[in-house]
Amino acid sequence: MSWLRKNCVVVPIDFSSESFAALSPALEFVENASHIYVIHVLTRFPAAEPGIIWNPADDRTRKYHAEFALREQLDELEYGGIHIEVTIGDPSSEILDFAEAKAAGLIVISSRGQTGIQRFFLGSVVERVVRFSHCPVLVLR
């Protein structure tokens, strides 16, 4: 349906099989894969992290390796033409800022289905994205 077509669909990927499965429904909302923007958010290392202290891992290297792994996985799944962005920070904030900067028409995000005490302590990236997004959000279970 043409009225459901979006110029930009953002799909957050956390390397889980559920997040990669969100790409298939996202393709239904765009003309071609070049309108899909995948984002992966790396968390910041604590200052006392051994990788930071001894300097074998810096943010630039981490982003490079994450992007390389994402491209490899997406090529394996035959999703050519998809745009990839790797950022560092709070996942929900980074996803929301990225979607707003790209003027996304839709965010397609997968939920891990955490409930109860686990969700209470860990929080929910999906819940924050749904609550504060400037555009519609499709949540997949």
Side-chain angles (χ1 to χ4, degrees), residues 43-59 62:
T43 56
R44 294 198 185 281
F45 276 155
E49 177 72 30
I52 298 298
I53 294 171
W54 294 308
N55 203 17
D58 62 352
D59 288 344
R62 292 176 62 214

Side-chain angles (χ1 to χ4, degrees), residues 92-120:
S92 56
S93 298
E94 292 294 324
I95 292 166
L96 291 166
D97 291 346
F98 181 73
E100 191 166 355
K102 293 293 180 191
L106 177 68
I107 299 173
V108 179
I109 191 167
S110 64
S111 172
R112 296 216 180 153
Q114 296 173 342
T115 58
I117 197 80
Q118 187 178 24
R119 182 173 177 202
F120 177 76

Side-chain angles (χ1 to χ4, degrees), residues 1-68:
M1 296 180 185
S2 63
W3 60 276
L4 286 176
R5 293 279 182 219
K6 306 294 181 190
N7 288 330
C8 175
V9 174
V10 172
V11 181
I13 298 284
D14 63 0
F15 286 96
S16 68
S17 59
E18 293 90 359
S19 66
F20 280 106
L23 289 169
S24 183
L27 281 171
E28 295 178 24
F29 291 97
V30 294
E31 222 171 276
N32 59 51
S34 66
H35 296 283
I36 293 181
Y37 291 80
V38 166
I39 181 170
H40 175 70
V41 182
L42 297 167
T43 56
R44 294 198 185 281
F45 276 155
E49 177 72 30
I52 298 298
I53 294 171
W54 294 308
N55 203 17
D58 62 352
D59 288 344
R60 187 174 49 86
T61 305
R62 292 176 62 214
K63 286 173 73 171
Y64 170 79
H65 288 295
E67 185 174 336
F68 181 80

